[in-house]
Amino acid sequence: MEQQIHALFEEVKQQGSFNGVVLVAVQGEKLLCEAIGTAEYNVGSARHLTTDSMFELASVSKPITALGIVRLHQLAKLHWDDPIANWIPELPYPGITIRHLLSHTSGLPDYMELFATLWDPAHYARNEDVLHMLIKHQPDPLFAPNESWMYSNTGYILLAILIERISGQRYGDFLDEQIFQPLGMARTKVYNRRVEPGLVPEDYAWGYVYRIGHGGYVLPDDVPELDYVRYLDGLQGDGMVNSTVGDLLRLDRALYDDEFVSSTLRQQMFAPVSMNNGEIFHYGMGWLVEHDDRLGSILHHTGGWPGYSTWFKRYIDRDFTLIMLQNGERDHAYTQQLVKSIEQIMAGEAYDVPSPLEIKKVIPLESKNVEAQLGKYRFTNDTGDSHEVEIYIERDKLYMKLSNGMVLSLLPLTTTRYFEEQTATELEFLIDEDGKRLRLAWYTEDEPEVAERMDIDRRDEL
């Protein structure tokens, strides 16, 4: 296995498509710990990544936030089914328990959508601002508590608030005292780099996004449609834990240790959530729960934020560990294939090497060619749920605004097909043979998602 994994990463290095640090371990022993690429770009020079580089974990912070709640449970400060109103009585969403927050069954609305439309981007938001915005504007809940499952960043912001109100300590200080220091995770901290610009840790991996129009890797702060990375930088709980592959391996080993977390408590943490109608969703307390016929039970979480892509997978039946931290992902599909290749090696199968990333050939945008494409479109999934997007042009650039307020830039490959760099996906405007109906195809999976035009179709020819 070790020889094959090293051979795979020799090919990955030759491709030049990966920028990050990867660790693969068996029973805690490292088979591979490899740093590939750049930690920081400077004028005329670059600082290389090392295996001790510190990365922002994005949503891989969630298992750590959940572990903070577990620690409060161990200290007899709370129970899973306690209503959060015991500590946050001002929240205008009744019936939510700590378990609902941990398992994403609270039904709380998405704070990012709220902030995209109502927050002053000149100011940094803090966790209490999320609470105040929910109180002030009271957007409708997505569903009643435990009636359904929906991934909720809002829920994990509230868990961080709970940690502070119950412990009487700052979120980061509590995690440091109760988790990081006891486990020897000396290179792990809660860090909001834009809010605290003078405190950049040693060997820090700056998060970059790849933008063709900017000539390669740039900080997300330099990309206008990613302005939310600045005004949301003060938030904690759903993200903002920073760590290294070595420290995450220490956390992995501690989660097998009965003295740190008892086997009974681990069973509760890693049990899939059961909703009111008896339906099961395979998410526990901060961990996705999966079974693979080849590799057995898997606990994992991923994270994505402009500049960072993170993976933490624990194959607990085989005691394998895979940790992948990137600060310059160019294509999520490439990362997915790389993880698949590693798992093929773990399973003793022949492995596929990810295909090198192709360089997209972008053409100039002609405003007259896109006028017929502007407007609103509605995507509808198999269950009938829908979400709207708006296609618009601003300063001679084409954009797609999602229903949560996020804005994606569309680069023309042809007059009807576009490349979106943040998701590394392509979109295409389709017109019926009679020329009367325009639709939008988004190639996010093997089969495209297709949106119907909402406004009156223009009859202009594409």
Side-chain angles (χ1 to χ4, degrees):
M1 184 190 302
E2 183 174 2
Q3 183 178 358
Q4 287 180 304
I5 288 176
H6 279 273
L8 168 63
F9 274 87
E10 284 302 314
E11 297 196 58
V12 168
K13 284 189 285 187
Q14 293 299 318
Q15 291 178 350
S17 300
F18 181 87
N19 199 96
V21 180
V22 181
L23 182 148
V24 180
V26 176
Q27 296 181 350
E29 296 297 321
K30 300 173 187 175
L31 297 187
L32 174 87
C33 190
E34 187 91 41
I36 303 171
T38 301
E40 182 179 6
Y41 292 95
N42 295 300
V43 177
S45 66
R47 175 171 57 84
H48 296 296
L49 289 167
T50 75
T51 55
D52 201 35
S53 292
M54 181 186 290
F55 292 73
E56 187 178 311
L57 298 183
S59 283
V60 171
S61 303
K62 288 184 173 70
I64 296 172
T65 298
L67 191 56
I69 294 292
V70 169
R71 184 62 185 137
L72 288 172
H73 176 84
Q74 291 172 310
L75 295 170
K77 300 289 187 180
L78 58 80
H79 298 285
W80 308 131
D81 296 313
D82 286 343
I84 63 172
N86 289 357
W87 300 277
I88 315 178
E90 65 271 39
L91 183 73
Y93 297 92
I96 297 173
T97 67
I98 290 172
R99 188 190 301 273
H100 296 150
L101 296 183
L102 288 168
S103 61
H104 298 294
T105 56
S106 69
L108 285 166
D110 178 30
Y111 77 79
M112 288 188 65
E113 182 176 354
L114 193 62
F115 276 72
T117 55
L118 298 171
W119 182 256
D120 180 356
H123 297 93
Y124 290 118
R126 304 302 206 278
N127 282 15
E128 290 292 334
D129 292 316
V130 174
L131 179 57
H132 294 155
M133 290 281 276
L134 291 173
I135 294 169
K136 180 178 180 180
H137 300 286
Q138 299 191 27
D140 292 338
L142 303 178
F143 48 81
N146 213 46
E147 284 295 318
S148 187
W149 189 94
M150 179 64 70
Y151 189 83
S152 176
N153 286 306
T154 307
Y156 272 73
I157 293 286
L158 291 184
L159 286 172
I161 292 174
L162 281 172
I163 286 174
E164 295 192 335
R165 293 194 179 186
I166 296 172
S167 71
Q169 297 176 265
R170 292 171 56 188
Y171 167 77
D173 292 342
F174 180 82
L175 295 184
D176 188 57
E177 177 186 289
Q178 297 292 331
I179 300 172
F180 305 153
Q181 289 188 37
L183 299 184
M185 298 171 66
R187 294 276 294 154
T188 302
K189 63 184 296 184
V190 176
Y191 173 55
N192 304 72
R193 77 162 180 84
R194 296 170 183 85
V195 176
E196 308 172 62
L199 302 173
V200 180
E202 182 182 355
D203 196 3
Y204 188 71
W206 291 75
Y208 293 91
V209 294
Y210 192 87
R211 289 295 183 268
I212 296 171
H214 289 75
Y217 285 111
V218 295
L219 291 172
D221 309 58
D222 298 330
V223 181
E225 59 265 27
L226 300 179
D227 64 337
Y228 58 88
V229 300
R230 292 191 58 82
Y231 66 76
L232 297 181
D233 190 70
L235 303 182
Q236 300 174 346
D238 62 337
M240 295 304 174
V241 177
N242 290 248
S243 191
T244 68
V245 294
D247 272 8
L248 291 179
L249 182 62
R250 292 181 178 91
L251 177 59
D252 167 71
R253 303 324 298 163
L255 291 174
Y256 289 102
D257 184 354
D258 288 349
E259 292 188 7
F260 182 65
V261 179
S262 70
S263 60
T264 300
L265 186 50
R266 288 201 302 272
Q267 288 177 2
Q268 296 175 31
M269 291 170 58
F270 304 146
V273 62
S274 177
M275 288 167 281
N276 292 340
N277 62 1
E279 183 181 348
I280 298 294
F281 193 89
H282 292 280
Y283 195 100
M285 298 181 181
W287 293 93
L288 281 154
V289 183
E290 179 185 337
H291 182 82
D292 184 283
D293 290 339
R294 307 161 303 160
L295 297 170
S297 295
I298 303 171
L299 302 169
H300 61 106
H301 215 291
T302 61
W305 192 243
Y308 295 98
S309 172
T310 55
W311 292 65
F312 190 1
K313 300 195 76 170
R314 307 179 60 241
Y315 306 80
I316 57 175
D317 287 345
R318 303 281 293 274
D319 199 355
F320 295 161
T321 311
L322 169 60
I323 302 166
M324 184 180 294
L325 306 179
Q326 294 182 78
N327 63 321
E329 184 183 62
R330 288 175 57 187
D331 188 338
H332 186 62
Y334 182 91
T335 301
Q336 288 179 308
Q337 178 55 56
L338 184 54
V339 171
K340 181 180 177 181
S341 300
I342 295 169
E343 291 180 337
Q344 288 172 328
I345 294 172
M346 289 177 173
E349 301 173 350
Y351 65 90
D352 302 309
V353 179
S355 300
L357 298 179
E358 62 174 309
I359 299 175
K360 301 291 183 180
K361 295 181 180 180
V362 176
I363 65 173
L365 182 72
E366 297 288 344
S367 297
K368 61 181 177 61
N369 291 333
V370 303
E371 287 180 2
Q373 300 163 359
L374 307 181
K376 295 184 178 181
Y377 297 78
R378 179 181 288 120
F379 289 96
T380 305
N381 62 23
D382 294 338
T383 62
D385 295 327
S386 65
H387 63 94
E388 299 172 9
V389 303
E390 180 181 3
I391 306 296
Y392 66 95
I393 193 167
E394 185 175 289
R395 297 178 184 175
D396 296 323
K397 291 185 178 180
L398 194 66
Y399 295 98
M400 179 171 67
K401 186 175 183 179
L402 307 185
S403 57
N404 64 1
M406 184 177 293
V407 175
L408 304 178
S409 176
L410 306 183
L411 302 178
L413 303 175
T414 71
T415 57
T416 59
R417 195 174 180 102
Y418 296 83
F419 177 62
E420 200 293 298
E421 290 184 283
Q422 187 169 333
T423 56
T425 55
E426 293 187 16
L427 299 96
E428 186 175 16
F429 292 92
L430 308 172
I431 193 165
D432 288 354
E433 291 181 1
D434 60 8
K436 294 182 179 180
R437 190 173 65 152
L438 190 66
R439 293 178 296 166
L440 175 61
W442 193 354
Y443 299 96
T444 56
E445 303 289 346
D446 294 335
E447 293 294 326
E449 298 179 70
V450 179
E452 300 292 337
R453 184 73 170 270
M454 293 175 60
D455 50 355
I456 298 173
D457 287 334
R458 297 177 175 89
R459 302 300 174 89
D460 307 66
E461 291 188 3
L462 296 176

